[in-house]
Amino acid sequence: MSLTKEDILTLLEEVKDPEIPVLSLVDLGVITDVEVSGDEHVTVRMTPTFAGCPAMDYMRKDVERTLEKHGISKHTVIMSFDKPWDSNKISEKGRQHLKEFGLAPPPKYNMVLDLDILEYATCPYCNSENTTMRTPFGPTLCRSMHYCNDCRQMFEQFKPL
């Protein structure tokens, strides 16, 4: 049986973000390309969410382990900044998983990221927009802390990047 790009992407749905275990690297948008050559060699290209992300090596190794677990011994996993990541790359399914996990998905933006959108987040618990950013510094570099004035819950937002 010949492997396809779609087959590999389906297998890689198993690889979860180490900081948000309900979100696959595919849905996060860090898997930027998959190639399958004629001799069944698989090349996976991925990009970190930001430079210096401490999870980069772990994610790369997890992709390699998953390929090997499924009998794909000929593979190359390349971490590259050729296609920089931004939060618009998170799939709709990924956005839903973030919300179910209690993280407000980042707002989508066009072309230029306006830093004012950091202030606004929809509460993942009650869907209220009556929220206040408490601090732009969350438990990781890619999250900020917000408070919902309606359901009175603190929540994190995955920052738009």
Side-chain angles (χ1 to χ4, degrees), residues 115-121 131-133 146 157:
L115 293 180
D116 286 344
I117 67 174
L118 281 175
E119 294 283 333
Y120 306 102
T131 63
T132 307
M133 182 173 66
H146 296 259
Q157 179 188 39

Side-chain angles (χ1 to χ4, degrees), residues 3 16 34 42 49 69 96 112 119 123 140 143 146 154:
L3 292 171
K16 305 298 183 189
V34 171
V42 173
T49 52
K69 179 177 94 174
Q96 184 60 36
V112 178
E119 294 283 333
C123 177
T140 64
R143 300 187 208 172
H146 296 259
M154 284 290 294

